[in-house]
Amino acid sequence: MKILIPKALRRGDVIGLISPSSTCAEPEKIEQAVTYLEHNGYRVKTSHYLNRSEHDPEHTDRYKLHDLHEMFADQLVSAVFCLRGGAGATRILDRIDYGLIAANPKILVGYSDITALSLAVFRKSGLVNFSGPMAATELYAPSSYTEEHFWGILTDPEYPAALRNFQEHPISCIKSGSVTGRLIGGNLSVLSSLVGTPYLPSLSGSILFTEDVNEPAYRIDRMLSHLFNAGLVRKCRGLMFGQFSKNPADEHREYRFDKMFAYYANRMHESSPVMTGLSYGHIKELMTLPVGARCRLEITPDHYAFGVAEQVVSR
């Protein structure tokens, strides 16, 4: 598969906003996000059906596809930012014009439910895209850490050579090792739903990263066992667990999650490093990660280094 990388963002570029998942119940956040992007020197184009929803999924899906295709076809748009996650992106995967996307490679950003779109776009077009903050969930009022990573990786080809974790997110080394592989991942619930479909990229030789929110330990265990039983995770070169936000009803969560992650780490190849604590997930301090890019991971109990091994945006 030919790997495509988008051009880096420059001040004055046009950013398109789309809503391929759920709608935002607080439209003032959309306005704040637009103001924030414009304050940073960019022009914003809101899609025709942005944040529009109907009870009939057939109509809603038609709106989502129209806006996605329109933004990639528009030669004036340099980047496409998603509004928020939620649900619904998986429904449109079989009707996306991936040839259009491949012919017009540009920055695409989103996470959570957007994991479905992100992985499908890379699998079908080869376009490196970005699992990171969205307009109505982070960019209306981003933290300084989220800001730095977001603009750094989208505007500076040299920036992601070393991606540092947020200082208050402790990293734990479950298995030591040093590997290079394509970075594949996203939200665990969404990723696991793509198993058996033509929209999940190959995990062979990859560094897999994942996170989830409000899922009890037994459901995370079930999803991880599904990936292992499908023969997918053993093919990975490394495994990075992000932030698994707490479920209030999940007693002894930290102990159960630690034991569970160690269990699956032991089922990996002996040379595959495994870590927890990556600054990625449904959190305020969110790292932006390049899906499909070749990355390096080095982890020992005393050392951690993570970064891209090739450019993810071009000048």
Side-chain angles (χ1 to χ4, degrees):
M1 178 175 62
K2 181 180 179 181
I3 304 300
L4 305 174
I5 62 171
K7 290 184 178 179
L9 269 179
R10 296 179 297 177
R11 289 181 181 273
D13 283 346
V14 176
I15 295 171
L17 296 186
I18 62 173
S19 49
S21 291
S22 295
T23 54
C24 175
E26 302 172 274
E28 65 274 11
K29 289 185 177 180
I30 304 175
E31 297 175 4
Q32 292 172 23
V34 171
T35 299
Y36 169 77
L37 294 173
E38 292 176 340
H39 178 75
N40 276 273
Y42 299 95
R43 294 174 289 163
V44 177
K45 177 180 179 179
T46 56
S47 56
H48 184 74
Y49 295 109
L50 183 71
N51 209 39
R52 180 169 170 178
S53 178
E54 295 187 10
H55 294 298
D56 186 342
E58 188 65 38
H59 292 166
T60 303
D61 289 356
R62 187 166 65 248
Y63 302 153
K64 294 176 181 180
L65 288 163
H66 171 277
D67 287 352
L68 176 66
H69 292 153
E70 181 182 58
M71 288 299 180
F72 271 93
D74 190 337
Q75 299 299 308
L76 297 179
V77 173
S78 299
V80 182
F81 291 0
C82 294
L83 186 64
R84 58 156 297 172
T90 54
R91 290 203 312 262
I92 66 173
L93 300 184
D94 64 338
R95 288 169 285 173
I96 292 174
D97 186 346
Y98 296 101
L100 172 68
I101 293 175
N104 299 277
K106 58 186 68 175
I107 289 170
L108 172 66
V109 189
Y111 76 108
S112 190
D113 188 60
I114 303 299
T115 294
L117 177 60
S118 172
L119 293 177
V121 164
F122 178 69
R123 170 67 179 83
K124 291 293 188 178
S125 73
L127 176 64
V128 171
N129 57 84
F130 302 90
S131 192
M134 298 177 287
T137 54
E138 287 84 22
L139 294 180
Y140 73 96
S143 70
S144 58
Y145 175 88
T146 297
E147 263 191 317
E148 178 192 330
H149 274 258
F150 184 67
W151 295 118
I153 202 167
L154 298 187
T155 63
D156 182 0
E158 308 304 323
Y159 177 86
L163 295 173
R164 61 179 181 82
N165 228 47
F166 182 59
Q167 60 183 3
E168 295 182 19
H169 293 160
I171 291 172
S172 293
C173 172
I174 302 179
K175 281 181 66 179
S176 297
S178 177
V179 293
T180 299
R182 293 217 172 270
L183 191 66
I184 302 294
N187 178 263
L188 180 59
S189 298
V190 179
L191 186 151
S192 63
S193 75
L194 297 183
V195 173
T197 74
Y199 307 109
L200 180 66
S202 172
L203 298 185
S204 180
S206 71
I207 298 174
L208 177 65
F209 70 96
T210 189
E211 60 83 31
D212 223 312
V213 59
N214 292 331
E215 293 285 1
Y218 79 90
R219 285 180 55 85
I220 298 299
D221 181 42
R222 181 185 296 155
M223 287 183 273
L224 289 173
S225 67
H226 179 49
L227 294 180
F228 273 87
N229 289 337
L232 300 178
V233 184
R234 289 188 185 91
K235 299 177 181 179
C236 298
R237 290 182 178 167
L239 182 56
M240 306 174 75
F241 290 109
Q243 305 295 314
F244 285 74
S245 303
K246 293 183 179 181
N247 183 310
D250 195 7
E251 295 186 32
H252 311 297
R253 172 195 173 278
E254 291 187 9
Y255 175 82
R256 294 181 68 186
F257 271 62
D258 288 346
K259 291 297 183 182
M260 178 171 53
F261 292 153
Y263 170 80
Y264 286 107
N266 289 332
R267 297 183 64 184
M268 297 280 289
H269 189 276
E270 62 180 12
S271 64
S272 299
V274 181
M275 58 159 284
T276 65
L278 185 70
S279 295
Y280 172 77
H282 289 68
I283 51 177
K284 184 176 180 181
E285 286 78 20
L286 175 62
M287 185 184 291
T288 301
L289 297 173
V291 175
R294 285 182 58 79
C295 291
R296 297 182 302 270
L297 170 64
E298 298 177 17
I299 183 80
T300 70
D302 303 314
H303 172 73
Y304 160 77
F306 172 55
V308 300
E310 60 188 8
Q311 286 190 350
V312 295
V313 291
S314 63
R315 295 193 183 279

